[in-house]
Amino acid sequence: MDIINFYCGDFIMLFDKFFNRNTSKPDSRTPWNPSNIEPYTNTYDLIHLSKFDNHYINDCIKDANQYPRKLRALKLAECADTTIYAPRYILNRYITIKYELSNKPFDYLAVAIAYKNLGSLERQNAITYFEKYLNCLNHLNTNSYVFTTKHAFSDFYIYRNLSDLYEHEYELNKAYDLRLKIIELHNGTIDFSDVISIGNILRKIDINKCVSFYEQYINLPKLQGYRKELDKAYQDALIKQSKGYVYKPRPKPPDEHHLYCQRMEIKGTMKFIIRHIFS
């Protein structure tokens, strides 16, 4: 055992040297933030995690591992989804690395949520895994554990987030269809957020449909508390309609900062995994 520990220690030391020495510091702007910050980039230093962050991530994984295998990824995703600071990025990346090759339904869902939390560079991956999860539901028995297990991610959460992902990736008709499903979940009841979300999507699909949609709901009695915001959205749509507005997607290539952060997430998570294995 001593020999194993000796060689594992050597391996981790070499790994640390490969990623350079720690030059990070705690975030002095927010004294309650325990995560290390890179001095020159103002991003979380995910390669040199603070002691607090390491303990927190370890505790999340230990808690998830107390559940049966089929629930572990989902329980870890519940933790990661509400986590802030540096551990948020490590936990979500950990989920994608560990579970993305699994074909278990809740692993699909956990990986989808993790990719969603990792930002714009991972949107397409998030969409892929949300779709895998929703598709697999059609092939399960109604008494499957997937339908009987209580968890934090309701149908509303899934549809709303997937709709947002579709919209950001210019799959506007899919985004619109999911917004209608959200209304179905609420027994046909539409609220202010539904009107604004659907209006924004329709503005990009067809400005005439957008105007007609606002005209249908702007005088709804239950929405009069938001009349000022609805009027603003409606007037904006009318102005665009008068100018013959046609939405033109303008996808932006990822900038170097986002790519740098993605590389750090992967390196930091792999370093954590290696430490986790050999500790």
Side-chain angles (χ1 to χ4, degrees), residues 118-134:
L118 288 172
S120 58
L121 292 181
E122 302 292 2
R123 279 194 207 120
Q124 284 293 350
N125 283 325
I127 288 171
T128 296
Y129 280 89
F130 271 125
E131 288 177 342
K132 284 184 176 184
Y133 172 71
L134 292 173

Side-chain angles (χ1 to χ4, degrees), residues 123 164-173 175 199-208 210 236-237 240-241 243-252:
R123 279 194 207 120
D164 289 344
L165 289 164
Y166 280 141
E167 185 177 358
H168 281 108
E169 290 298 307
Y170 311 111
E171 297 187 61
L172 299 174
N173 288 311
N200 285 337
I201 294 169
L202 287 175
R203 174 171 51 82
K204 299 172 184 176
I205 294 175
D206 185 330
I207 192 61
N208 296 314
C210 176
D236 179 67
K240 284 182 166 58
Q241 184 186 47
K243 295 179 179 179
Y245 173 82
V246 176
Y247 175 70
K248 296 178 181 178
R250 295 181 176 88
K252 295 180 181 178

Side-chain angles (χ1 to χ4, degrees), residues 34-224:
S35 299
N36 289 334
I37 303 292
E38 281 203 329
Y40 305 110
T41 63
N42 265 349
T43 57
Y44 289 122
D45 186 346
L46 303 180
I47 294 171
H48 307 99
L49 294 173
S50 69
K51 188 176 293 186
F52 177 91
D53 289 347
N54 268 304
H55 285 316
Y56 180 86
I57 295 165
N58 270 315
D59 286 346
C60 289
I61 294 171
K62 285 178 183 177
D63 288 347
N65 285 343
Q66 293 176 7
Y67 289 87
R69 166 63 188 88
K70 61 188 178 182
L71 300 180
R72 285 177 191 168
L74 188 68
K75 292 301 175 182
L76 192 55
E78 287 180 340
C79 177
D81 195 49
T82 56
T83 293
I84 56 177
Y85 306 135
R88 177 177 180 82
Y89 302 96
I90 297 295
L91 283 170
N92 282 296
R93 185 63 67 178
Y94 178 93
I95 291 168
T96 66
I97 290 172
K98 184 164 184 178
Y99 295 106
E100 68 178 347
L101 296 181
S102 169
N103 60 3
K104 289 181 168 53
F106 280 154
D107 291 356
Y108 287 150
L109 180 56
V111 171
I113 292 163
Y115 273 131
K116 182 266 296 182
N117 288 337
L118 288 172
S120 58
L121 292 181
E122 302 292 2
R123 279 194 207 120
Q124 284 293 350
N125 283 325
I127 288 171
T128 296
Y129 280 89
F130 271 125
E131 288 177 342
K132 284 184 176 184
Y133 172 71
L134 292 173
N135 288 337
C136 83
L137 298 183
N138 299 322
H139 306 289
L140 298 176
N141 294 325
T142 54
N143 61 349
S144 166
Y145 72 93
V146 173
F147 299 118
T148 59
T149 301
K150 292 183 179 180
H151 57 81
F153 308 115
S154 64
D155 288 346
F156 169 75
Y157 175 101
I158 293 167
Y159 291 160
R160 185 195 65 199
N161 279 286
L162 183 52
S163 177
D164 289 344
L165 289 164
Y166 280 141
E167 185 177 358
H168 281 108
E169 290 298 307
Y170 311 111
E171 297 187 61
L172 299 174
N173 288 311
K174 290 182 179 180
Y176 174 74
D177 289 343
L178 279 177
R179 287 290 169 179
L180 296 183
K181 281 194 172 185
I182 289 173
I183 295 172
E184 287 178 18
L185 286 177
H186 297 152
N187 298 316
T189 301
I190 189 166
D191 62 19
F192 170 70
S193 64
D194 295 325
V195 173
I196 293 299
S197 297
I198 293 173
N200 285 337
I201 294 169
L202 287 175
R203 174 171 51 82
K204 299 172 184 176
I205 294 175
D206 185 330
I207 192 61
N208 296 314
K209 290 181 179 179
C210 176
V211 169
S212 297
F213 176 77
Y214 282 134
E215 288 174 345
Q216 182 180 356
Y217 290 102
I218 196 168
N219 292 315
L220 200 67
K222 63 176 288 187
L223 298 179
Q224 292 315 293

